[in-house]
Amino acid sequence: MALLLLAGAVVLAGCAGSPGGTHIEPAAPTATEAREASMEAELAWQEVKAQTQAMELEIAALIPKDAVISIDQKKKGMLLSCNSTHHKWKGSTTITFVEGTNIEPIVKDIEAHYRTKGTKVSADRNVDEDYRIQIDLGAGENYIVAEGLAPNEIRIASGSACFTLAEGIYPGGFSRSHEQSQPHCLNNEDNVQVLRVMLGIVAR
């Protein structure tokens, strides 16, 4: 019995913090660790961007080549929130056609292609009464196909699947330690500019 009491006392002593003891904060990441985290985050951006842009070009490839003058895929995009913890990459591709091309039948052919595959597709008309479709691939990934800013254009607006940013990386490109030392108080205009700069780096 005495041995049991002694063992219990040892356990309790081990669980109790020493009075006046000093709380030790976790060590800050080294420069090498921070650089590796940044490289991992950049790789994640490159993968998400590459997948989304590949899908844009897959859609563009369905358009008859004899009617196409050019295909312009934007190298940069924007980062938007899906919710409080997830984000998505947004980009676009513009296809320019020869003068007089009827855009609506082409958009409807793309719609039919994906409906045949069993992909979720919705259709409506925008404020200019142009026919448009939205292709939904799940997990927040979608592509809107409609007539562009000019009558002889089709614009494919893309949104990647929602994903979580790497640990310690924020939409503005700041690490956790940076945020602790400098308040992250950007207005909307500043935030968009920071995101463009960051995505420009990722686009390399």
Side-chain angles (χ1 to χ4, degrees), residues 7-188:
V10 170
V11 170
L12 290 174
C15 293
S18 58
T22 302
H23 176 68
I24 301 175
E25 292 289 343
T30 64
T32 299
E33 291 172 337
R35 183 164 56 253
E36 288 175 352
S38 177
M39 290 174 65
E40 289 174 1
E42 181 168 337
L43 179 60
W45 274 108
Q46 290 171 339
E47 290 173 349
V48 169
K49 178 181 177 180
Q51 292 167 3
T52 307
Q53 290 190 316
M55 184 61 186
E56 290 177 17
L57 296 181
E58 176 184 306
I59 297 171
L62 299 173
I63 298 170
K65 302 297 184 293
D66 57 350
V68 175
I69 293 178
S70 65
I71 298 176
D72 178 25
Q73 185 174 63
K74 285 190 174 181
K75 295 181 179 180
K76 298 181 181 180
M78 292 187 66
L79 184 67
L80 297 180
S81 297
C82 295
N83 52 44
S84 60
T85 59
H86 291 74
H87 297 79
K88 67 164 55 187
W89 186 85
K90 299 279 289 182
S92 67
T93 292
T94 299
I95 301 96
T96 303
F97 297 88
V98 296
E99 197 71 31
T101 300
N102 192 352
I103 300 298
E104 185 169 318
I106 297 175
V107 176
K108 287 184 174 181
D109 285 345
I110 295 172
E111 174 188 8
H113 172 83
Y114 285 102
R115 287 192 187 278
T116 300
K117 293 176 63 176
T119 305
K120 181 181 177 181
V121 182
S122 56
D124 66 1
R125 292 188 181 276
N126 60 23
V127 293
D128 297 320
E129 289 300 311
D130 297 321
Y131 193 78
R132 68 179 174 187
I133 62 171
Q134 178 166 311
I135 303 165
D136 291 293
L137 301 184
E141 183 177 2
N142 60 72
Y143 300 83
I144 298 174
V145 185
E147 185 172 315
L149 297 177
N152 61 328
E153 291 180 351
I154 280 181
R155 183 173 184 271
I156 303 168
S158 63
S160 74
C162 297
F163 63 96
T164 305
L165 289 176
E167 178 66 24
I169 301 298
Y170 293 83
F174 298 124
S175 67
R176 188 180 302 277
S177 60
H178 181 97
E179 187 184 32
Q180 288 175 343
S181 61
Q182 302 218 7
H184 191 169
C185 301
L186 299 178
N187 59 36
N188 289 339

Side-chain angles (χ1 to χ4, degrees), residues 184-203:
H184 191 169
C185 301
L186 299 178
N187 59 36
N188 289 339
E189 183 178 350
D190 289 339
N191 195 40
V192 168
Q193 183 61 29
V194 169
L195 295 180
R196 285 174 177 165
V197 171
M198 188 181 84
L199 294 174
I201 294 173
V202 173

